[in-house]
Amino acid sequence: MKHLVVICHPRRKSFTQAIAKSYVQAVETLGNEVVVRDLYRLHFDPVLGEGELLDAKKRVTSRAVRTEQRHVSEAGAIAFFYPLWWAFMPAMMKGYIDRVLSCGFAYDIKIDEMIPRLTGKKALIFTSSGADMAYLRQSKQWSSMRLLEEEHILSLCGIELLEHVHFASVLPDLPQRSIDKHLSIAAKAAQKHWGSTPAAQG
Ligand SMILES: Cc1cc2nc3c(=O)[nH]c(=O)nc-3n(C[C@H](O)[C@H](O)[C@H](O)COP(=O)(O)O)c2cc1C
């Protein structure tokens, strides 16, 4: 199966990037093809333009967006990596969703019904936060994140979420042994979900 990995973090040496690298290595070790789309390194433009909201016949879809949509189409599995910023995903990640998972590509609207168009694809989400789990729950950040990101966005497109792996209390002074433990959790998630998958090119 072909795997798509979408990373959203401005710093190359961030925790988010390290977790993504560990996951990618594990998926590749299992014999799968992985396409990495590092949104900041690609200078992905997250701003949805007027032309993208025109009627289907007049709609303007940029080459950059078409490229990302092709990667989504070709992938059987998609993994998203991003930090929690102000109780939500970074604007770059949100812009990717706005523009790439567009109407007519990721879903259709028929009268008052939403028709998913990415059915059959599976996803994993890897996030991190500075706050601990107790505070995320108490402050409702966790429920808003789950409702908006997992239950609304992915399911509406027909993408099945296999797991949301969240790393809480990721602060600048996180000891190396904790980082190593988290890296191995990311690799284990890959083994858990893709360990028995035949490495067919999809
Ligand atoms: C702009 C910004 C907003 C943030 N907002 C939150 C937040 O709402 N809740 C939280 O727990 N952590 C917040 N954080 C902390 C990050 O989630 C945390 O530093 C990150 O997950 C660590 O991983 P990284 O090294 O990949 O950035 C924020 C950080 C930044 C830069």
Side-chain angles (χ1 to χ4, degrees), residues 8-11 13-18 82-88 127-132 135-136 141 166-167 169-172:
C8 180
H9 201 291
R11 273 196 308 125
K13 292 209 164 163
S14 57
F15 176 82
T16 301
Q17 292 277 358
Y82 53 87
L84 188 66
W85 283 2
W86 290 108
F88 199 53
T127 52
S128 62
S129 62
D132 61 25
Y135 183 72
L136 286 184
Q141 293 187 63
H166 184 73
F167 302 96
S169 308
V170 178
L171 299 166

Side-chain angles (χ1 to χ4, degrees), residues 46-61:
V47 180
L48 187 146
E50 188 179 9
E52 290 167 86
L53 291 181
L54 296 174
D55 291 345
K57 279 183 194 154
K58 293 184 194 156
R59 193 171 301 155
V60 183
T61 306

Side-chain angles (χ1 to χ4, degrees), residues 18-27 29-30 81 124 126 165 167 180-195:
I19 290 290
K21 195 172 168 196
S22 176
Y23 175 83
V24 168
Q25 278 172 355
V27 176
T29 302
L30 291 164
F81 293 82
L124 292 172
F126 294 85
V165 182
F167 302 96
D180 291 344
K181 205 171 120 197
H182 293 336
L183 295 179
S184 96
I185 289 172
K188 278 184 189 144
Q191 283 145 11
K192 175 177 153 191
H193 294 291
W194 316 120

